[in-house]
Amino acid sequence: MANDWNRRDVLKTGLAAGVGSFGVPAKAPTVITRQAKRPIVISSGNGLAAADKAMTMVAAGADTLDAVIAGVNIVELDPNDMSVGYGGLPNEDGVVQLDASVMHGPTRRAGAVAAIEGVKTPSNVAQLVAYRTDHVLLVGEGATRFAQAHGYGPEDLLTDHSRAAWLRWKENLSDQDDWFPPERDATGSAADMAPIERHHGTINCNAVDAAGDISGVTTTSGMSYKIPGRAGDSPIIGAGLYVDNEVGACGSTGRGEANMVECASFLVVEFMRAGAQPKDAAIEALARIADKTVSPRLLTDGGRPNFGLNFYCLNKAGEYAGASMYGESDGRTARFAVNDGGESRLEDCVALYDVRAK
Ligand code: GLY
């Protein structure tokens, strides 16, 4: 068995033991929390350019929310990133529906859009929801019309590449979708579900500036070939993103459904509020999710979650972490982007489990 964090120890030494003793691991993790330094920008592994841009702006005195949104705009507009914005993989009808949320620590404003169509940069629309409406979340056609009223879209978001990928999926349709017929319902085993590589790619970017002000953004095309109207965790404040200017920020990528039922970005920030270091807070949340994953179709033969999930968190002091359910999956090491001035770099995530078994 992989030499993983001892889940029971993580849980036992976490909440039960109280403030100051969170997440003491059975085995020391890769230590990634640096000496506190501000400003700091962190992002998911696909966010090197986003972190560069955000740090350039933050260092020049820009507002942290404007900075992280400008950062993720680069990825949203990149046709080659098939997990976010333009070129993102579509739903089962071949329509690209995007989700995004933003949260601004100093003013405690939040905005989000879900299942929005025809807009390459849903993060900008989420910011408009936060600042130009009395609401937090707009969905579907209403979100799309709101975006158009502000000059966003309509545009075709499918690229030749994403259209071809969708057609390949559609031409091979069988039991590889999200519908549960009576004989294959949500309690079925993983064996009842044909294996298919589903993409939950997303970008999250969080920043704390020199003054300690904090913002975050999460944006995605969501699960590939999803049921039209499916919204993941990215537009849900508390799940895909949470910011508290007194404490820190956390955002997520990976299987949104697993995150949504635990409100885990909120949970990570609450653990940090109670005194946990970012890496311990995120591992604690991953342990909670692993512990609460009970459906056989979501478990490996060894009883572990059969999905990937990642958190990116920082605190007001400038300490930060990336954390992943698995440190290595399909031969790839889980990494996240960091910028503390200068060029962005990738660092290894701490992980609840070392290697994801097939
Ligand atoms: N975390 C992205 C999604 O599940 O949609």
Side-chain angles (χ1 to χ4, degrees):
M1 183 171 290
N3 195 12
D4 304 310
W5 286 54
N6 182 317
R7 245 173 69 186
R8 224 168 336 165
D9 280 1
V10 170
L11 293 169
K12 203 166 51 199
T13 58
L15 285 178
V19 175
S21 56
F22 280 80
V24 177
K27 159 181 163 290
T30 314
V31 175
I32 61 162
T33 301
R34 310 289 179 201
Q35 191 178 355
K37 179 179 176 189
R38 295 191 313 220
I40 292 285
V41 177
I42 60 170
S43 184
S44 39
N46 54 349
L48 281 170
D52 275 342
K53 175 74 180 176
M55 178 54 83
T56 301
M57 289 179 63
V58 167
D63 178 80
T64 48
L65 184 57
D66 291 337
V68 292
I69 290 175
V72 299
N73 281 168
I74 295 169
V75 183
E76 290 177 318
L77 293 168
D78 179 357
N80 297 315
D81 189 312
M82 295 175 82
S83 66
V84 179
Y86 179 45
L89 288 170
N91 65 20
E92 65 178 25
D93 290 343
V95 177
V96 180
Q97 292 188 325
L98 305 177
D99 300 337
S101 63
V102 303
M103 203 160 174
H104 184 240
T107 58
R108 200 149 183 78
R109 285 183 188 239
V113 290
I116 191 171
E117 297 178 14
V119 177
K120 289 178 176 170
T121 57
S123 62
N124 293 113
V125 185
Q127 188 178 27
L128 285 167
V129 173
Y131 285 90
R132 301 291 293 272
T133 80
D134 187 37
H135 307 312
V136 170
L137 174 62
L138 295 181
V139 305
E141 191 194 333
T144 302
R145 282 180 17 211
F146 173 79
Q148 287 174 15
H150 284 277
Y152 287 91
E155 293 181 275
D156 184 2
L157 270 56
L158 275 182
T159 59
D160 288 347
H161 198 52
S162 60
R163 189 191 312 278
W166 169 69
L167 278 171
R168 256 198 318 279
W169 171 80
K170 194 160 181 67
E171 286 160 359
N172 289 287
L173 271 183
S174 58
D175 51 358
Q176 300 179 338
D177 59 32
D178 294 317
W179 301 87
F180 293 135
E183 69 280 10
R184 188 168 70 86
D185 68 15
T187 62
S189 74
D192 295 331
M193 304 285 285
I196 184 172
E197 195 50 48
R198 306 295 294 268
H199 297 265
H200 294 88
T202 300
I203 183 166
N204 163 249
C205 187
N206 306 313
V208 55
D209 68 13
D213 284 331
I214 306 167
S215 293
V217 57
T218 302
T219 175
T220 188
S221 53
M223 180 193 267
S224 56
Y225 321 130
K226 59 196 173 187
I227 294 175
R230 178 264 186 189
D233 58 332
S234 302
I236 305 302
I237 298 297
L241 178 69
Y242 191 70
V243 176
D244 186 318
N245 213 48
E246 301 309 309
V247 179
C250 183
S252 182
T253 63
R255 182 180 159 79
E257 279 75 4
N259 179 9
M260 289 161 90
V261 290
E262 306 304 334
C263 298
S265 286
F266 176 75
L267 197 58
V268 170
V269 173
E270 289 308 298
F271 288 159
M272 291 195 294
R273 186 194 309 279
Q277 285 287 303
K279 62 183 170 58
D280 296 325
I283 286 290
E284 190 90 33
L286 285 163
R288 171 82 59 91
I289 289 164
D291 209 50
K292 299 280 184 190
T293 300
V294 293
S295 175
R297 72 186 171 81
L298 295 174
L299 294 171
T300 64
D301 290 346
R304 293 178 174 177
N306 64 8
F307 50 81
L309 190 58
N310 316 289
F311 294 102
Y312 315 95
C313 52
L314 52 74
N315 65 20
K316 200 170 177 69
E319 295 164 319
Y320 62 86
S324 186
M325 187 67 80
Y326 290 98
E328 188 188 313
S329 194
D330 295 328
R332 282 196 300 272
T333 303
R335 295 203 168 96
F336 69 112
V338 180
N339 194 312
D340 55 9
E343 246 182 62
S344 300
R345 62 181 178 272
L346 291 175
E347 294 190 9
D348 287 357
C349 292
V350 288
L352 185 62
Y353 304 118
D354 282 349
V355 180
R356 181 172 167 185
K358 287 273 175 208

